[in-house]
Amino acid sequence: MRHVSLDLALDFSLHAAAGSVELTFDRPDAHAPLTLDVQGLVVTAASGADGKPRRFQVGSEDPRLGSALIVDLEPADRTVKIAYHTTDGSAALQWLAPEQTRDRKHPFLFTQGEAIFTRTWIPLQDSPGVRVTYDARILAPAGLTVLMSAEQLGRGPDGAWRFRLDKPVAPYLIALACGDLAFEPVSQRSGIWAERSLVKAARDELVDTEAMIAAAESLFGPYRWGRYDVLVLPPAFPFGGMENPRLTFATPTILAGDKSLVALIAHELAHSWSGNLVTNATWRDFWLNEGFTVYFEQRIMERLYGADRAALEQQLSWNELEKELRELEPWQQVLHMDLAGRHPDDGFSIVPYEKGALFLRRLEQLFGRPRFDAFLRGYFDGHAFQSITTADFVEFLKNQLFTQDLAAAARIDLAAWLDQPGLPSDAPRTASPALAKVDQERQRWLAGLPARELATAGFITQQWQHFIQGMPVAVSVAQMAALDDAFHFSASGNSEILCDWLVLAIRHQYRLDDQPLAKFLMSVGRRKFLKPLYTELAKTEGGLARARAIYAQARPRYHAVATGTIDKILKWQL
Ligand code: BES
Ligand code: ZN
């Protein structure tokens, strides 16, 4: 597959997109039929290059992968046009009612393609080993703005929005959003899209975006996509961020008011190199996307905000990784994981992120930063606009880096890092003085010092998180109340702090019937927050009943990737 040409009309009353896609492809075998991926779509017609109908059939459905759409082509066909519409089973699409937006006046739609959801709104070869350019013509209700992960070409005389991306990307990176949106520039090439009432505050919070792009370029080479904009979505967005080309999608929960959560932008921006430019060829190689991106993100953070800040985020991530490793099955702890017979989402955890980044940091440590940086620069340039496997990476690593210092190369156990569960013993651990200070204050409090007298002035989000996460098992309800009195955690507008606090509150049966938890679960759809909260609730009988009562109401407000996870935690029967 080479090119995708979309022509869709968005119907907010039917919750459906309808129209066609024209695919352009090579024909290595002029007699083989064309096989595409579809899931949750209704295909109504197929036609060839001459505009005449072609026979097609939809194969049996696999619950994870969907169905094969097989089109009988004529030997001369190099394009095919598929007419189709989406359904309620189109998991990529989330249609929000006006009440789920901040301004509460207009509905909202966004897509989420990664990992294998693009097939639920566009029939195509939905593998990250495939790369396509694309263009699109999108009809939307008057008054709403359409954005895509592409260059905006303005609106035609028919009122349709037109887009084009002339750089080849994996299909999971085709993305669309539609709502009542406004824009504020950050720089010549960068700016923020958000709902009208939020866009100025969002721009102020994310004003360092241009400095991040510049830092990233100075580290690992030119930004190759033209513009870099960020779209701040309504809180139902199931992820923190998604690296859609030219237009990162982000949760509004990163707007803490003090720029403390901007590492997420550094992360999604870094994917413009690791992920979008050099792409995992299969989902087994997901760590190539995320491990490289976390490493790169931390380098951007260090460059912009200093080594202390970078160390702080690294130690927090280490703690999280240790905790998660205790709960994951062995196969999920492997970087080059075995996904045979599994959905890519079953392999989703912090492992490809943090273990992947630790592997790269270990290489940096062994070979020295100057050599490692030159190696990475060569990695991005040498594989630009390609999809590669873990084996491709290992070969490049051996040829380009190991040959430069054989003694260093002898000290790394590639099999331990790539193919075995757990964390290798040479994983580089970072100690953060800023978090050591937090441990000290928590100790003083546990030893009896009143909460108000702790030296917490100037604590940033991550320090509060560490303060809460490090609480011992034996904390009483009275102690929880004392903390809440002093620091107002239950009323925190910072979702990271509030989420960690609510997990602790559930664990210690603190304020069981109180509102903050239900309110949070009803408004925020970010899976990273939903998962620990529902998991903690599900640990007791009363908690599970409460979780199910809240979920019954909240579930229609969540994206399919979130309900997929929470259904399992609550053993939800449809
Ligand atoms: N690409 C991911 C999101 C993703 C991964 C979507 C797998 C679907 C399947 C994105 O870059 C990401 O990692 N987001 C993180 C934030 C990041 C700072 C760790 C998130 O959403 O929490
Ligand atoms: Zn990522």
Side-chain angles (χ1 to χ4, degrees), residues 13 20 57 66 108 118 131 139 209 238 247 370 404 453 465 483 491 527 533 566 572:
S13 54
S20 67
Q57 100 203 36
F108 201 103
T118 301
R131 302 188 83 94
L139 263 177
T209 301
L247 183 66
Q404 294 190 40
E453 287 170 36
Q465 288 188 268
L483 285 178
R527 183 171 66 173
L533 289 168
I566 309 305
W572 191 256

Side-chain angles (χ1 to χ4, degrees), residues 114 241-243 267-268 271 274 286 289-291 293-294 297 353:
E114 194 177 12
M242 177 63 213
E243 65 271 26
H267 178 96
E268 305 312 334
H271 273 305
S274 43
F286 184 57
N289 273 18
E290 298 301 342
T293 296
V294 169
E297 162 202 337
Y353 289 78

Side-chain angles (χ1 to χ4, degrees), residues 112-247:
Q112 167 60 39
E114 194 177 12
I116 55 170
F117 289 128
T118 301
R119 66 191 64 181
T120 74
W121 74 289
I122 310 172
L124 42 59
Q125 293 181 331
D126 191 14
S127 159
V130 168
R131 302 188 83 94
V132 293
T133 53
Y134 80 88
D135 65 69
R137 177 183 171 274
I138 310 290
L139 263 177
L144 299 187
T145 297
V146 181
L147 299 176
M148 290 192 81
S149 54
E151 192 185 334
Q152 292 176 269
L153 301 177
R155 303 176 73 172
D158 54 0
W161 300 78
R162 291 171 316 120
F163 303 90
R164 177 178 59 210
L165 186 67
D166 58 14
K167 309 241 181 335
V169 295
Y172 74 86
L173 293 170
I174 303 176
L176 177 149
C178 177
D180 183 25
L181 293 164
F183 177 78
E184 285 288 333
V186 162
S187 70
Q188 279 283 323
R189 57 173 167 175
S190 178
I192 311 300
W193 289 94
E195 284 186 63
R196 234 158 264 290
S197 66
L198 187 63
V199 69
K200 285 212 161 63
R203 192 266 322 270
D204 290 348
E205 185 95 13
L206 306 180
V207 72
D208 290 349
T209 301
E210 172 58 39
M212 287 183 176
I213 307 172
E217 288 189 306
S218 76
L219 285 166
F220 299 121
Y223 179 76
R224 302 185 194 226
W225 305 88
R227 294 197 58 84
Y228 179 76
D229 295 321
V230 176
L231 167 62
V232 178
L233 289 139
F237 185 59
F239 291 105
M242 177 63 213
E243 65 271 26
N244 297 315
R246 295 173 60 99
L247 183 66

